Amino acid sequence: MKNTLIAPSILSGNFASLGNDTANMKDIGADWIHVDVMDGVFVPNLTFGFKMISDLRAMSDMFFDVHLMITEPKRYVERFVKSGADLVSFHIEAENDVDGALDIIKRSGCKCGLAINPDTDVAAIKPYSAKLDLILIMSVFPGFGGQKFIDGSLERVMQAKKIRDEYAPQALIEIDGGINADNAASAAMAGADVLVAGNAVFGASDRAKAVRMLRGEQM
Ligand code: DX5
Ligand code: ZN
């Protein structure tokens, strides 16, 4: 099996001890750290912003995969880059000037990604594909951790893979929402290069083991 990257989502951590949880990610064998930013408008939930990310940056040198679930992200993407993001993704549904926002991220020296909701046509990413470092396929409606994986999401990963292979060979495909030890292997088989996992990691008594299971390694 190919080497799938595991990106635990700190949304499922204890917000009163996110610094420790973040610092601990390397020890448990995670590849990336997935950071969910929510504005209470694009999604019906609020998390945190720039200061949290720059404070966490001081706790870890790992790859910060920042997933913006905010309206008109173009207004803020540069500040997220400056806060210490290694990759900034935003939702295609949330921005009128997708090209402009992607350009700001890239110009700031950061990798960029586009996220798409479960009810958005995957083909919508096509016009932007040449610029993308990441295509983020949501397998739940964004807003909360711990939701059930939406059936049909793997077909969407396969569609994204087709687009990637044809128009964006540089881009990785990430799947986010409801990923666990039971569906991780099929998500990777469908074409996901990066698996985000919140509850499957933070809800486990042995987080390192949870990461290994998601990667398809034996205990
Ligand atoms: C949902 C977030 C996800 C979420 C994943 O809006 O984007 O990253 O935290 O959590 P699980 O793996 O628990 O679905
Ligand atoms: Zn996310």
Side-chain angles (χ1 to χ4, degrees):
M1 207 168 98
K2 66 176 180 180
N3 194 14
T4 311
L5 302 177
I6 308 300
S9 164
I10 52 172
L11 177 66
S12 297
N14 180 336
F15 276 23
S17 59
L18 276 191
N20 291 336
D21 282 343
T22 300
N24 181 244
M25 284 293 132
K26 203 174 246 178
D27 300 333
I28 68 169
D31 298 289
W32 289 4
I33 298 179
H34 186 80
V35 182
D36 287 309
V37 177
M38 305 184 185
D39 69 351
V41 178
F42 181 66
V43 289
N45 198 6
L46 288 155
T47 55
F48 46 70
F50 318 115
K51 180 158 163 49
M52 177 64 91
I53 294 175
S54 55
D55 286 352
L56 293 178
R57 180 78 283 171
M59 306 288 292
S60 170
D61 61 1
M62 284 184 73
F63 190 93
F64 278 15
D65 167 32
V66 175
H67 175 194
L68 301 181
M69 287 158 274
I70 67 174
T71 312
E72 295 177 36
K74 186 180 158 192
R75 296 175 294 166
Y76 295 115
V77 286
E78 190 169 4
R79 288 177 69 189
F80 280 105
V81 174
K82 289 198 170 127
S83 304
D86 292 292
L87 186 151
V88 173
S89 299
F90 62 86
H91 275 261
I92 194 167
E93 303 87 1
E95 180 56 65
N96 289 325
D97 184 10
V98 171
D99 270 316
L102 292 173
D103 290 344
I104 294 172
I105 300 170
K106 287 178 95 78
R107 242 189 286 124
S108 319
C110 190
K111 292 188 186 301
C112 65
L114 263 188
I116 57 169
N117 277 343
D119 57 357
T120 297
D121 188 353
V122 178
I125 58 172
K126 239 193 222 174
Y128 313 105
S129 48
K131 288 183 180 169
L132 300 178
D133 298 295
L134 187 88
I135 298 165
L136 200 181
I137 302 294
M138 291 304 301
S139 39
V140 299
F141 283 92
F144 302 91
Q147 301 183 74
K148 193 179 164 302
F149 184 85
I150 296 175
D151 289 336
S153 299
L154 295 186
E155 283 71 25
R156 294 171 57 77
V157 169
M158 288 184 233
Q159 286 174 44
K161 185 178 181 317
K162 259 199 185 146
I163 294 172
R164 190 273 305 275
D165 291 351
E166 191 167 348
Y167 303 101
Q170 75 288 349
L172 295 175
I173 296 173
E174 179 175 62
I175 187 165
D176 183 6
I179 294 293
N180 56 42
D182 295 329
N183 58 23
S186 42
M189 286 276 287
D193 305 294
V194 188
L195 308 179
V196 175
N199 264 30
V201 172
F202 285 92
S205 52
D206 183 342
R207 292 178 184 172
K209 181 173 162 188
V211 168
R212 289 197 301 275
M213 286 173 71
L214 288 165
R215 212 184 266 120
E217 292 168 2
Q218 283 315 307
M219 259 90 314

